[in-house]
Amino acid sequence: MAARAAKVARGWSASVLGVRPAACWLPGLTQVRWSRYGPEYRDPRVEKEHYRKPAAELTEEERYDRELRKTQLIKAAPATTTGSVFEDPVISKFTNMMMKGGNKVLARSLMTQTLEAVKRKQFEKYQAASAEEQATIERNPYVIFHQALKNCEPVIGLVPILRGGHFYQVPVPLAERRRRFLAMKWMITECREKKQRRTLMPEKLSHELLEAFRNQGPVIRRKQEMHKMAEANRALAHYRWW
Amino acid sequence: MAAPCVSCCGALCYRLFIGSRVTLAPRQGFWKTAAAEFQRGAGSQLLKPIHTTVVTTKKNVPVSRHETYTEEFIKKQIEEFNIGKRHLANMMGEDPETFTQEDIDHPEQIFPKQRAIQWGEDGRPFHFLFYTGKQSYYALMHEVYGKVLQVEKHQNQLQVKGVLPEKTEIRDLIGSRWLIKEELEEMLVEKLSDQDYTQFIRLLEKLLALQCGPAEEEFVQRFRRRVPTQSQQQLREPVQYDERGVAFSACEGKRKSARAEAVVYEQGSGRITVNGIDYLLYFPVLQDREQLMFPFHFLDRLGKHDVTCTVSGGGRSSQAGAIRLAMARALCSFVSEKEVEWMRQETTKLLSHRSLEPCWWADQPATAAWLWSRKNWDPNSDVQERADWTQADGCGGMGGHENVCCPQRHGVSPPEHRGGVVSATAPHCIRAHVLLISIRLSHSSSQRVFITTTDCPSTQVMGCLHIPVETDSKH
């Protein structure tokens, strides 16, 4: 109880004391990314099941959290979140990364066509396969998509560190979000640059996704090259100080 | 704990009053102004006399600053003070018998709290922490720390006895917040730094973390303020009824530059009409339709309401967002309090809208970049607007207001200008630190002032300022 009170009080004091990023007021520097919302605004939570849970089932933490949020200001939900069952944050992120020039309509349609293409290919395989093999074939395009991206995520990355006038590529563990970003980035780059002249994006992307799902293909190879380079440079690992 | 603060209005009233009554009186050969007399006589801790004019009739008599007053004089002053108080009561319409200092003191909202002088006549300060500079703050910290030590000692005693302290239930920390720094400054009538404030809050939290008794709780509550529950600030539109008796609710919403008004009918089958067109045709993009369905889907009322809305302005996505906001607000009237709070927590689409940061940088004065080109440079040219200096991006006329003419090359001085001021905008390289090193009076109609900059490595003359001087006035 006392510990929680202390934690809460400290949490409050942090918000009251207005913990702001240090770069706020440096002279000569303008903040490039800003928001209309002040630091006291919290992020919204969209899943309606969270709110439908009766009070009896909540843990103490959750109950406390709910009470707390009553007094807090909360930001408005962005236009991409809907709380619908069909919404997938990974797919949304991937769509945004594929988008060029703000053309979300095109990006989204390419994404749906890709998923459709994945499904069709898997279905064809399913039809042509024997009974034992049918059990192993995955037809849900979302599962394939998630698994493919997970297979493409590198575990360790290289960071250029300046020492004695030279830049050395130092192996460094990557954060979760950096890994996801790299996987998606490599996938998109691969599909844009290394395709035949008249192939469309959905076709190429569905092909790459299926290959990555099976741990094959150029994106997986790129990830493995990254791992090999990190292994080769492991002597430089002590250059890292964080 | 807080420094003795005298509301300045009360003192002012008294001062004005008594000042008018006490006339210039000769005492011991010195003439003193009314203000000084009053302040000595009042006997309370008021400001020291700052405008004291002492005129001696005798020569070679030293001025004594610290007068001793006779008892009768002090008594007489007190009597006059009381009479003045009664007169003031009459003027203010109050009863003279029961007129006290509290009636005179105006509410503190009109006149901010000020510090009275913190030392007595002999110059010794009243508060023992005066020489720390922030006596109220340090006194408060001292007090709080004293309480912390006390509580710890009490707990140690209990532990020694073997009696465990009871776990008190959680206080209402959610509905209140700590004082902000400005409020604390106002309370103490002292300027504080951020570190001071942080330290103070940390100490209070430490006190809270220990199991303190009710007295300490009350003490800490003095430094907390209520925080209102946000959902109560949401207005709920009243439900209206149209001619057929069907209940509906109308609300507005906006997003960026789109404005929408939605009318949500209680009975319906989930049809949405936007500007007279069905929503499927008006919003061909799936994302916009998802936005429209969002409030209904969240409240599990997908096929239960009919909506008619009008929207204008903005783009496709902002129109959808505006309608979403309008519908959510309208739905509040059909929905329970709890669900309103859920909607708010989930999105605050009820309370606010998202919009772009207005383009504040457009009003900033443009500091134009100046470019010098040797090709157009003519050292013997006499014209005011020189062709060798041009502005880089054409946003001229808005930059600095100093009248600095174009800088010269070293060693070459500009020809004499007959009158007139070259008012070109300042080159961006010369910003601050302009030193006037000399003003040379010349026989021409203009004065010449040489300017150099401190950031210049050599003391090169960077430019000269021409100030037109009329021939009549010679400065």
Side-chain angles (χ1 to χ4, degrees):
Chain A
M1 284 288 183
R4 166 113 68 74
K7 183 184 108 176
V8 157
R10 229 173 288 125
W12 265 109
S13 84
S15 64
V16 158
L17 300 176
V19 175
R20 287 178 183 272
C24 244
W25 55 273
L26 282 175
L29 281 187
T30 341
Q31 200 108 7
V32 175
R33 283 189 203 89
W34 54 53
S35 158
R36 290 306 301 272
Y37 294 114
E40 62 275 3
Y41 278 84
R42 302 277 152 256
D43 286 315
R45 199 185 275 183
V46 189
E47 342 59 81
K48 63 175 182 180
E49 298 77 26
H50 170 79
Y51 297 98
R52 295 285 185 273
K53 256 201 285 190
E57 285 181 29
L58 295 175
T59 62
E60 217 177 89
E61 285 283 341
E62 284 184 341
R63 210 174 301 157
Y64 173 76
D65 190 52
R66 232 187 238 193
E67 280 293 318
L68 189 62
R69 280 170 86 87
K70 276 194 191 158
T71 53
Q72 286 176 328
L73 293 161
I74 302 184
K75 300 183 197 175
T80 43
T81 46
T82 52
S84 96
V85 290
F86 303 110
E87 192 192 327
D88 193 350
V90 185
I91 301 260
S92 311
K93 182 63 87 180
F94 197 85
T95 320
N96 287 340
M97 285 178 74
M98 265 212 300
M99 175 166 60
K100 272 190 184 175
N103 197 345
K104 182 73 141 275
V105 178
L106 182 61
R108 193 162 167 169
S109 73
L110 289 175
M111 197 68 226
T112 40
Q113 284 168 37
T114 308
L115 292 171
E116 193 193 331
V118 164
K119 179 118 192 186
R120 280 185 192 274
K121 284 180 187 168
Q122 289 298 89
F123 242 101
E124 278 169 20
K125 231 162 65 168
Y126 185 83
Q127 302 293 348
S130 61
E132 307 86 32
E133 284 169 15
Q134 276 181 357
T136 55
I137 292 176
E138 178 62 56
R139 284 170 291 164
N140 188 346
Y142 292 93
V143 170
I144 292 176
F145 182 82
H146 289 139
Q147 190 57 45
L149 282 186
K150 212 178 292 185
N151 291 345
C152 290
E153 282 179 15
V155 165
I156 195 165
L158 293 169
V159 156
I161 290 182
L162 182 63
R163 270 278 192 125
H166 296 277
F167 281 96
Y168 296 100
Q169 295 293 324
V170 175
V172 140
L174 297 171
E176 188 62 46
R177 58 177 187 273
R178 177 74 184 157
R179 278 190 255 165
R180 284 195 290 259
F181 171 77
L182 280 176
M184 289 194 228
K185 185 82 182 169
W186 288 342
M187 182 66 78
I188 293 170
T189 323
E190 172 68 37
C191 294
R192 277 182 187 163
E193 289 169 11
K194 309 264 181 54
K195 60 180 161 89
Q196 302 300 318
R197 221 201 74 187
R198 293 185 67 107
T199 21
L200 297 171
M201 183 67 158
E203 195 185 314
K204 174 75 177 171
L205 186 53
S206 57
H207 180 254
E208 292 306 326
L209 282 171
L210 286 168
E211 291 217 293
F213 179 67
R214 284 178 296 234
N215 272 313
Q216 295 161 6
V219 192
I220 300 286
R221 246 183 291 128
R222 185 165 173 179
K223 173 189 91 160
Q224 284 163 354
E225 271 166 26
M226 168 84 109
H227 285 172
K228 278 183 210 156
M229 276 173 63
E231 182 65 28
N233 280 4
R234 67 182 184 273
L236 304 172
H238 64 280
Y239 281 1
R240 182 172 65 99
W241 61 84
W242 61 90
Chain B
M1 186 187 28
C5 304
V6 178
S7 168
C8 77
C9 176
L12 191 68
C13 286
Y14 270 148
R15 202 180 298 149
L16 285 173
F17 214 91
I18 305 297
S20 62
R21 292 185 46 94
V22 176
T23 51
L24 286 166
R27 263 178 50 247
Q28 298 182 19
F30 297 97
W31 291 85
K32 290 207 172 156
T33 54
E37 286 238 310
F38 157 69
Q39 281 160 14
R40 293 282 183 208
S44 57
Q45 299 133 23
L46 295 170
L47 293 172
K48 270 194 184 156
I50 39 172
H51 303 295
T52 318
T53 51
V54 178
V55 176
T56 66
T57 48
K58 295 183 187 168
K59 286 185 188 174
N60 300 325
V61 175
V63 177
S64 83
R65 297 271 177 226
H66 297 287
E67 281 273 342
T68 50
Y69 296 97
T70 52
E71 281 295 326
E72 306 105 54
F73 179 75
I74 292 175
K75 272 206 195 106
K76 188 160 148 266
Q77 291 302 313
I78 292 173
E79 271 172 33
E80 283 181 0
F81 176 88
N82 288 327
I83 293 169
K85 202 160 78 165
R86 295 176 72 93
H87 275 285
L88 187 60
N90 262 337
M91 282 203 310
M92 283 176 64
E94 307 271 346
D95 180 19
E97 304 298 327
T98 57
F99 199 58
T100 54
Q101 188 68 22
E102 280 80 26
D103 296 314
I104 301 162
D105 287 343
H106 280 240
E108 281 175 355
Q109 287 98 23
I110 305 178
F111 298 99
K113 278 206 281 192
Q114 282 183 1
R115 310 212 62 157
I117 281 298
Q118 308 294 324
W119 52 85
E121 283 181 10
D122 54 351
R124 277 187 82 201
F126 300 121
H127 204 285
F128 73 107
L129 290 175
F130 173 77
Y131 288 111
T132 58
K134 301 180 217 175
Q135 62 188 44
S136 317
Y137 169 73
Y138 284 111
L140 182 60
M141 290 288 278
H142 182 68
E143 198 184 331
V144 179
Y145 191 61
K147 288 194 195 289
V148 167
L149 290 176
Q150 215 177 20
V151 169
E152 278 178 353
K153 189 168 139 191
H154 178 67
Q155 285 197 335
N156 287 342
Q157 282 171 352
L158 287 180
Q159 264 188 341
V160 158
K161 283 187 203 161
V163 177
L164 292 166
E166 317 92 36
K167 294 208 193 286
T168 54
E169 58 219 25
I170 195 160
R171 305 159 207 98
D172 180 26
L173 289 167
I174 297 173
S176 57
R177 59 161 177 88
W178 288 119
L179 276 186
I180 55 173
K181 182 167 159 246
E182 282 74 29
E183 287 172 348
L184 188 62
E185 280 183 350
E186 207 183 349
M187 196 195 240
L188 299 176
V189 199
E190 244 169 24
K191 281 236 150 300
L192 300 175
S193 73
D194 285 334
Q195 289 87 357
D196 291 337
Y197 171 73
T198 329
Q199 279 296 99
F200 176 65
I201 297 290
R202 285 207 186 111
L203 197 57
L204 282 176
E205 283 176 0
K206 185 174 172 180
L207 183 59
L208 269 188
L210 306 166
Q211 300 293 327
C212 48
E216 281 86 8
E217 292 262 2
E218 205 206 300
F219 175 76
V220 168
Q221 286 301 329
R222 273 175 37 199
F223 301 103
R224 289 197 77 99
R225 298 281 176 268
R226 288 257 113 215
V227 169
T229 7
Q230 292 295 331
S231 62
Q232 283 151 14
Q233 296 177 357
Q234 171 64 25
L235 299 159
R236 291 173 68 150
E237 274 287 325
V239 177
Q240 302 164 52
Y241 294 88
D242 69 354
E243 57 272 359
R244 286 177 296 150
V246 179
F248 72 92
S249 163
C251 271
E252 287 169 348
K254 52 182 171 167
R255 165 85 215 266
K256 285 183 170 180
S257 50
R259 301 287 176 265
E261 213 213 288
V263 175
V264 176
Y265 294 91
E266 200 169 0
Q267 260 79 44
S269 57
R271 275 195 301 265
I272 305 180
T273 315
V274 184
N275 285 352
I277 309 169
D278 189 44
Y279 74 112
L280 190 59
L281 301 172
Y282 194 85
F283 291 118
V285 179
L286 181 62
Q287 183 185 302
D288 303 334
R289 293 200 298 273
E290 278 172 348
Q291 287 293 286
L292 294 192
M293 278 187 269
F294 191 8
F296 298 106
H297 171 70
F298 185 74
L299 296 169
D300 289 331
R301 286 163 179 253
L302 261 176
K304 297 183 189 160
H305 296 277
D306 260 350
V307 183
T308 316
C309 33
T310 49
V311 68
S312 62
R316 173 207 98 211
S317 184
S318 30
Q319 282 190 345
I323 301 177
R324 180 186 103 172
L325 181 59
M327 287 201 298
R329 281 193 180 144
L331 273 177
C332 282
S333 11
F334 299 122
V335 130
S336 69
E337 194 67 51
K338 202 166 55 155
E339 284 172 318
V340 168
E341 176 55 31
W342 289 346
M343 280 223 275
R344 186 200 77 83
Q345 281 199 23
E346 171 248 332
T347 68
T348 322
K349 51 195 179 187
L350 308 177
L351 293 180
S352 68
H353 58 283
R354 287 149 56 95
S355 58
L356 277 179
E357 177 99 5
C359 187
W360 52 267
W361 53 90
D363 298 329
Q364 304 281 319
T367 47
W370 285 86
L371 300 172
W372 183 78
S373 72
R374 185 187 290 274
K375 195 172 110 186
N376 301 331
W377 174 57
D378 183 8
N380 303 317
S381 135
D382 206 7
V383 292
Q384 290 185 5
E385 273 101 35
R386 298 255 300 259
D388 51 341
W389 281 97
T390 49
Q391 268 187 307
D393 36 357
C395 46
M398 287 168 69
H401 302 291
E402 306 106 0
N403 292 336
V404 179
C405 78
C406 319
Q408 323 286 322
R409 280 176 65 76
H410 180 57
V412 180
S413 61
E416 293 263 355
H417 283 272
R418 291 293 163 99
V421 174
V422 179
S423 61
T425 50
H428 71 278
C429 51
I430 301 179
R431 276 271 171 76
H433 315 301
V434 170
L435 277 179
L436 288 169
I437 54 168
S438 70
I439 299 175
R440 218 167 61 187
L441 289 171
S442 60
H443 292 297
S444 71
S445 57
S446 67
Q447 286 195 27
R448 216 193 287 188
V449 172
F450 285 94
I451 302 169
T452 184
T453 62
T454 52
D455 8 354
C456 199
S458 60
T459 51
Q460 202 176 26
V461 172
M462 293 294 289
C464 72
L465 185 69
H466 289 258
I467 306 167
V469 173
E470 282 125 28
T471 41
D472 338 326
S473 58
K474 302 225 163 111
H475 296 297

